[in-house]
Amino acid sequence: MLMTLSQITARLGGEVRGADVSVCALAPAAEATAEHITFLANPKYRSEVQNSAAGAIIVSEKNAGDLHGRNLIVAADPYLYFAQVARLFHPAPAARAGVHATAVIDPSATVPPSCEIGANVVIGAGAVLGEGCRILAGSVVGEHCTLGAQCVLHPNVTLYCGCTLGERVTIHSGAVIGADGFGLAFAGDHWLKIPQTGGVVIGDDAEIGANTTIDCGAMGDTVIGRGVKIDNQVQIAHNCHIGNHTAIAACVGISGSVKIGAYCLIGGAAMFVGHIEIADKTSIGGGTVVTRSIKEAGHYASCYPLQSHKEWAKNAVHLRRLSEMYEKIKDLSKHRD
Amino acid sequence: MLMTLSQITARLGGEVRGADVSVCALAPAAEATAEHITFLANPKYRSEVQNSAAGAIIVSEKNAGDLHGRNLIVAADPYLYFAQVARLFHPAPAARAGVHATAVIDPSATVPPSCEIGANVVIGAGAVLGEGCRILAGSVVGEHCTLGAQCVLHPNVTLYCGCTLGERVTIHSGAVIGADGFGLAFAGDHWLKIPQTGGVVIGDDAEIGANTTIDCGAMGDTVIGRGVKIDNQVQIAHNCHIGNHTAIAACVGISGSVKIGAYCLIGGAAMFVGHIEIADKTSIGGGTVVTRSIKEAGHYASCYPLQSHKEWAKNAVHLRRLSEMYEKIKDLSKHRD
Amino acid sequence: MLMTLSQITARLGGEVRGADVSVCALAPAAEATAEHITFLANPKYRSEVQNSAAGAIIVSEKNAGDLHGRNLIVAADPYLYFAQVARLFHPAPAARAGVHATAVIDPSATVPPSCEIGANVVIGAGAVLGEGCRILAGSVVGEHCTLGAQCVLHPNVTLYCGCTLGERVTIHSGAVIGADGFGLAFAGDHWLKIPQTGGVVIGDDAEIGANTTIDCGAMGDTVIGRGVKIDNQVQIAHNCHIGNHTAIAACVGISGSVKIGAYCLIGGAAMFVGHIEIADKTSIGGGTVVTRSIKEAGHYASCYPLQSHKEWAKNAVHLRRLSEMYEKIKDLSKHRD
């Protein structure tokens, strides 16, 4: 695919400066050649972009002066514009309508002819798929699941019974949606499993990463809001509610019945204890253990600072006697006064 | 299913107070209506339960007075009783005996006719299944695995060769049992893999969560005790021994050759270094890094307390010079004396 | 298989002392009997090995004196030698050449007759496999993937389109290679997904653990070097580069565009923020959060020391006011001077 800069701005807005050259793809500044378009969003990369052989550059009005004499598309938010151009060059593949000969579809399931059903897919009794869904090789759609239009299950996804997906939900390989929550009652000398009878409800345009797990509710549902983006290997326990458009990086663990607000940013490997609430637009640093509700939006953190092992070992000893140190200081202050 | 309170107490014990009404399901206090039964276990929810429209309530003798005039089942442990009622209303589904046409079963495997073998299941040579097992779509049972009666493998589970499961073991989707332990010897300029020749032995009534991994032993077995409950995305390395009835929350990682006692409670995302032993009935807080053996039962923790990013950054600087602070205090104390 | 000690040293070097007995397998010192060979590498296990009933023992020259009168193989590095003996007794299984009747192979894929293609395997259009690959039950090889000779995909592995594997790469069950990186641009009120158009390139002799995820690059590739060993449940984000012969223990998370050098050792559950570089031969302790580049090889750590919950709670309070304590000490010192 070859597009001129003006063909791009006709679709996405922005303003062409310099020659209206043709480009065939995006590329990082360091690797781009004359047929590529690249972008300058973070000023840290200014000189790398200045030295780039790219045929054209996406840049903000503010930084356009740094690229004097180059062919530009000037846009309000170059990073967002870059994303939009990438989507022009790489539109999501449409469903290749049809059912593979090896797929196993229960006669009571509803699968529109516009859907792509891959090899060895299994679709359970009473499941209902919307138009244009892509269910790829080896995925299992449990009984009575409902999928909106244009959902994509990559290979080897598992949906337990009774999951409800909105439209355009994408789930990556190895993800497991709707497994039993970890509900146990202690019966004197052993654990009694509490049947997990709720479902999982996932909103429109949500995306779920590879090998992520989202458990069904104990009673009532686990709810993933509209436009929520979840990375790989995230664990979301029973009865959590994740607010609309919240983004959750990889390796995060969220205990049962946590309510996270809308537009939150959750850093990688953050962990949440159960039964807490996080305000809208809260940002949590990577590796943070969230031990209590957060009522005020802001940026929160709790990770232990990195040191050489030798320095760390020296300090860690004293961390174990911090309260002792505190008392000592108090005592010293008293004597001085 | 509709049951009167006296039908329930006839099965489970406990005492009916008020009208012997019929209920059709459990429900959380806030959502329950007249046909539901709910419960009061944690006094924190007292007013929520008092205001509930539930037709009946499970409660302890001690708290029954708070629910004057309501229809009650009085039980010694309302949470446990709730679990038992849930199991009455939602018994585990029995095997739908039969082998799906697409399943691939090695002729040398033993699969009783009472088993349910789902679509695209693969059962390897010499595998032996007990009565009434349910092996669901896409699961793979490796060669020479042995499963006791009534085991359940949810869809897309993988058992490597030579795993041994007791009776009524449940394994959730995406779990991988018996993959090679991470055993390497350094050969000057590259790593040499050490063949992992042990197995995995899982006791009766154990439950393994979605996408959890339990490696086979290097030599000798990895052992999961009777009644052990393991949540999602837990990693258990080669030659670990997990004692009977220990419960392990999600995202926990346990390094090689760790021995955890019986009746332990391991909080989410806790991590264990290798070759340590944990006493029976030890409780480990969420996010704790367990860096040494624990010889005395008790509650242990090590997570970094949550703060606003600004406060955290201010303190983290000083954490790096804690030993310096300690020396300073010692010095000040000396001068004072 | 029965081998005399001299047959072993003929293959692997080392020197026989005592009788040239026959052994049939390796065993841990405590479990070995006369037909087993065991080893002494860590002096901590000296008395256990001395008391072992093993027929023969692998030991270094330095420690051979401790095992006077026993049948020995004296080797420079007993642990490495043990690994080599283990590989003699347990060679990796060769491919059982042939394609299972239920496998689905696109006509445009290249699959040499020497390959073993298991039940329900799916191989996409344009994929090219080398000689002697083993693709086990339920694995999915995406379109245009390239695999070198003798690769092994254990059951239920997923390779997205366009992955490139060197020779003798082993991937364990549930691993997902090439899923979309977590690339998002914020569009005012929702997230716009950035198409992830790069690939994953994995070097010769790499091994990838169960349920590990390695994302494709955003633009350009994610690169795993030669001889890299990755344990279970590791997450490697888009555009990471992992240097040759680096070993990564379980539950590690590596954010986008991280470059880790060669011969590094990454402890379990370590986490890396994005866009940093780690020098060759760096060692990172388990549970460490790596928040910045490391330019000098060495051993680094950051984990919070374990305590009883009571002690921890007492100290954690003061950790929140560490900078306050620091100021106080400074103030006390000033007044004293």
Side-chain angles (χ1 to χ4, degrees):
Chain A
M1 180 162 36
L2 211 64
M3 295 185 85
T4 63
L5 302 188
S6 60
Q7 282 172 328
I8 294 174
T9 57
R11 300 272 296 267
L12 302 177
E15 182 198 332
V16 178
R17 295 208 191 141
D20 185 22
V21 294
S22 290
V23 290
C24 72
L26 278 153
E31 298 166 25
T33 58
E35 70 268 31
H36 293 128
I37 183 166
T38 192
F39 69 102
L40 175 59
N42 186 337
K44 191 172 116 185
Y45 297 108
R46 179 181 296 122
S47 73
E48 194 172 317
V49 174
Q50 284 173 329
N51 295 325
S52 171
I57 302 163
I58 304 161
V59 66
S60 66
E61 184 62 69
K62 192 179 137 204
N63 293 319
D66 295 334
L67 300 168
H68 190 72
R70 304 295 295 262
N71 307 319
L72 306 177
I73 292 179
V74 178
D77 180 342
Y79 190 69
L80 176 59
Y81 201 93
F82 145 72
Q84 292 169 318
V85 172
R87 292 165 67 97
L88 274 189
F89 281 112
H90 303 279
R96 293 181 273 197
V99 175
H100 194 277
T102 58
V104 176
I105 301 179
D106 189 274
S108 67
T110 303
V111 178
S114 60
C115 290
E116 172 179 354
I117 309 296
N120 301 326
V121 163
V122 178
I123 298 183
V128 177
L129 275 60
E131 295 288 341
C133 286
R134 304 180 67 214
I135 313 297
L136 302 182
S139 285
V140 175
V141 176
E143 300 181 358
H144 304 292
C145 286
T146 306
L147 282 69
Q150 292 174 277
C151 286
V152 179
L153 305 192
H154 284 276
N156 288 329
V157 165
T158 304
L159 306 186
Y160 276 56
C161 303
C163 296
T164 304
L165 277 55
E167 304 196 337
R168 298 171 302 281
V169 171
T170 296
I171 303 185
H172 286 279
S173 294
V176 176
I177 313 297
D180 287 350
F182 198 59
L184 303 167
F186 196 65
D189 60 355
H190 68 281
W191 294 100
L192 204 62
K193 180 195 173 94
I194 300 169
Q196 303 289 303
T197 63
V200 176
V201 177
I202 301 180
D204 295 343
D205 300 298
E207 184 155 354
I208 313 290
N211 283 350
T212 281
T213 49
I214 303 176
D215 282 349
C216 73
M219 300 185 286
D221 294 327
T222 302
V223 179
I224 310 295
R226 256 177 303 118
V228 168
K229 305 296 182 186
I230 300 178
D231 200 351
N232 298 348
Q233 298 203 37
V234 170
Q235 149 71 3
I236 298 183
H238 49 187
N239 299 99
C240 285
H241 285 230
I242 310 295
N244 297 339
H245 307 293
T246 279
I248 302 178
C251 303
V252 166
I254 307 180
S255 301
S257 300
V258 170
K259 282 196 167 57
I260 293 183
Y263 294 109
C264 291
L265 295 173
I266 313 297
M271 296 287 157
F272 293 74
V273 305
H275 297 271
I276 60 175
E277 294 195 33
I278 309 298
D280 290 353
K281 301 190 182 176
T282 295
S283 162
I284 302 288
T288 293
V289 182
V290 183
T291 47
R292 56 174 172 80
S293 288
I294 293 177
K295 286 174 184 167
E296 226 176 309
H299 186 180
Y300 294 81
S302 82
C303 92
Y304 198 106
L306 182 73
Q307 294 197 288
S308 76
H309 186 269
K310 198 176 140 190
E311 290 296 317
W312 168 81
K314 224 164 66 179
N315 289 319
V317 168
H318 301 295
L319 187 50
R320 285 213 182 89
R321 37 170 100 141
L322 205 51
S323 84
E324 206 184 288
M325 283 168 68
Y326 180 82
E327 294 306 326
K328 199 87 193 168
I329 295 172
K330 226 167 75 177
D331 192 49
L332 284 164
S333 304
K334 215 180 289 169
H335 277 80
R336 196 201 64 197
D337 301 334
Chain B
M1 180 161 40
L2 211 63
M3 294 185 84
T4 62
L5 302 188
S6 60
Q7 283 173 326
I8 294 173
T9 55
R11 302 272 295 268
L12 303 178
E15 182 199 332
V16 179
R17 294 207 191 143
D20 185 22
V21 293
S22 291
V23 291
C24 71
L26 277 152
E31 297 166 24
T33 58
E35 72 267 31
H36 293 128
I37 183 165
T38 193
F39 69 103
L40 175 59
N42 185 337
K44 192 173 116 184
Y45 297 107
R46 178 181 296 123
S47 72
E48 194 172 318
V49 174
Q50 285 173 328
N51 295 325
S52 170
I57 302 164
I58 304 160
V59 66
S60 66
E61 183 62 69
K62 193 180 137 203
N63 294 319
D66 296 333
L67 299 169
H68 190 72
R70 304 296 294 261
N71 308 318
L72 306 177
I73 292 179
V74 178
D77 180 342
Y79 190 69
L80 176 59
Y81 200 94
F82 145 72
Q84 293 168 318
V85 172
R87 292 165 67 97
L88 274 188
F89 281 112
H90 303 279
R96 293 181 274 197
V99 176
H100 195 275
T102 59
V104 176
I105 301 179
D106 189 274
S108 67
T110 303
V111 178
S114 60
C115 290
E116 170 179 354
I117 309 296
N120 301 324
V121 163
V122 178
I123 299 182
V128 177
L129 275 60
E131 296 288 341
C133 286
R134 304 180 65 213
I135 313 297
L136 302 182
S139 284
V140 175
V141 176
E143 300 181 358
H144 303 291
C145 286
T146 305
L147 282 68
Q150 291 175 280
C151 286
V152 179
L153 306 192
H154 284 276
N156 290 328
V157 164
T158 305
L159 305 186
Y160 277 56
C161 303
C163 296
T164 304
L165 278 54
E167 305 197 333
R168 296 171 304 278
V169 171
T170 296
I171 303 184
H172 286 278
S173 293
V176 177
I177 313 298
D180 288 348
F182 199 58
L184 303 167
F186 196 65
D189 61 353
H190 69 280
W191 294 100
L192 204 64
K193 180 195 173 95
I194 300 169
Q196 304 289 302
T197 62
V200 176
V201 177
I202 301 180
D204 294 343
D205 299 299
E207 183 154 356
I208 313 290
N211 284 349
T212 281
T213 49
I214 303 176
D215 283 349
C216 73
M219 299 185 287
D221 294 327
T222 303
V223 179
I224 309 296
R226 255 176 304 117
V228 168
K229 305 296 182 183
I230 300 178
D231 200 352
N232 297 347
Q233 299 203 37
V234 170
Q235 149 70 2
I236 298 182
H238 47 186
N239 298 99
C240 285
H241 285 231
I242 310 295
N244 297 340
H245 307 293
T246 279
I248 302 177
C251 304
V252 166
I254 307 180
S255 301
S257 299
V258 170
K259 282 196 169 55
I260 293 183
Y263 294 108
C264 292
L265 295 173
I266 313 297
M271 297 287 157
F272 293 73
V273 305
H275 296 271
I276 60 175
E277 294 196 32
I278 308 298
D280 291 354
K281 300 191 183 174
T282 295
S283 160
I284 303 287
T288 292
V289 182
V290 183
T291 48
R292 56 173 173 83
S293 288
I294 294 178
K295 286 173 184 168
E296 225 176 309
H299 186 180
Y300 294 80
S302 82
C303 92
Y304 198 105
L306 182 73
Q307 293 196 289
S308 77
H309 186 270
K310 200 177 139 190
E311 290 296 317
W312 169 79
K314 225 165 64 181
N315 289 320
V317 169
H318 300 296
L319 187 50
R320 287 212 182 89
R321 38 170 98 139
L322 205 51
S323 83
E324 206 184 288
M325 284 169 67
Y326 181 81
E327 294 306 326
K328 199 84 197 171
I329 295 172
K330 226 166 76 178
D331 192 50
L332 284 165
S333 303
K334 216 179 291 168
H335 277 80
R336 196 202 63 196
D337 300 334
Chain C
M1 181 163 36
L2 211 63
M3 296 185 84
T4 62
L5 301 189
S6 59
Q7 284 173 327
I8 294 174
T9 56
R11 300 273 294 268
L12 303 177
E15 182 198 331
V16 179
R17 295 208 192 142
D20 185 21
V21 294
S22 291
V23 291
C24 71
L26 277 153
E31 297 167 24
T33 59
E35 71 267 30
H36 293 128
I37 182 166
T38 193
F39 68 102
L40 174 59
N42 186 337
K44 193 173 116 184
Y45 297 108
R46 178 180 296 123
S47 71
E48 195 172 318
V49 175
Q50 286 174 328
N51 296 325
S52 172
I57 303 165
I58 304 161
V59 67
S60 65
E61 183 62 70
K62 193 179 137 204
N63 294 319
D66 295 335
L67 299 169
H68 190 72
R70 305 295 295 262
N71 308 319
L72 306 178
I73 291 179
V74 178
D77 179 343
Y79 190 68
L80 176 59
Y81 201 94
F82 145 71
Q84 292 169 317
V85 172
R87 292 164 66 96
L88 274 190
F89 281 112
H90 303 280
R96 294 181 273 197
V99 175
H100 194 276
T102 59
V104 176
I105 301 179
D106 189 275
S108 68
T110 302
V111 178
S114 60
C115 290
E116 172 178 354
I117 309 296
N120 301 325
V121 163
V122 178
I123 298 182
V128 177
L129 274 60
E131 295 288 341
C133 285
R134 304 180 66 214
I135 313 296
L136 301 182
S139 284
V140 176
V141 176
E143 300 181 359
H144 303 291
C145 286
T146 305
L147 282 68
Q150 291 175 277
C151 286
V152 179
L153 305 192
H154 284 275
N156 289 329
V157 164
T158 305
L159 306 186
Y160 277 56
C161 303
C163 296
T164 304
L165 277 54
E167 304 196 335
R168 297 171 303 279
V169 171
T170 296
I171 303 184
H172 286 278
S173 293
V176 177
I177 313 297
D180 288 348
F182 198 59
L184 303 167
F186 196 65
D189 61 353
H190 68 282
W191 293 100
L192 205 62
K193 179 195 173 95
I194 300 169
Q196 303 289 302
T197 62
V200 176
V201 177
I202 301 180
D204 294 344
D205 299 299
E207 183 154 355
I208 313 290
N211 283 350
T212 281
T213 49
I214 302 177
D215 283 348
C216 73
M219 300 185 286
D221 294 327
T222 303
V223 179
I224 309 297
R226 256 178 302 117
V228 168
K229 305 296 182 185
I230 300 177
D231 200 351
N232 297 347
Q233 299 203 38
V234 170
Q235 148 70 3
I236 298 182
H238 47 187
N239 299 98
C240 285
H241 285 231
I242 310 295
N244 297 341
H245 306 293
T246 280
I248 302 178
C251 304
V252 166
I254 307 181
S255 301
S257 300
V258 170
K259 282 195 168 55
I260 294 183
Y263 293 108
C264 291
L265 296 173
I266 312 297
M271 296 288 156
F272 293 74
V273 304
H275 297 270
I276 60 176
E277 294 195 32
I278 307 299
D280 290 354
K281 300 191 183 175
T282 296
S283 161
I284 302 288
T288 293
V289 182
V290 184
T291 48
R292 56 173 172 83
S293 288
I294 293 178
K295 286 173 185 166
E296 226 175 310
H299 185 179
Y300 295 81
S302 83
C303 93
Y304 198 105
L306 181 74
Q307 294 198 288
S308 77
H309 187 270
K310 200 177 140 189
E311 290 297 317
W312 168 81
K314 225 163 64 178
N315 290 319
V317 169
H318 300 296
L319 187 50
R320 287 212 181 89
R321 39 171 98 140
L322 205 51
S323 83
E324 205 185 288
M325 283 168 67
Y326 181 81
E327 294 307 325
K328 199 85 195 171
I329 295 171
K330 226 167 77 177
D331 191 49
L332 285 165
S333 304
K334 215 179 291 168
H335 276 81
R336 196 201 63 196
D337 302 334

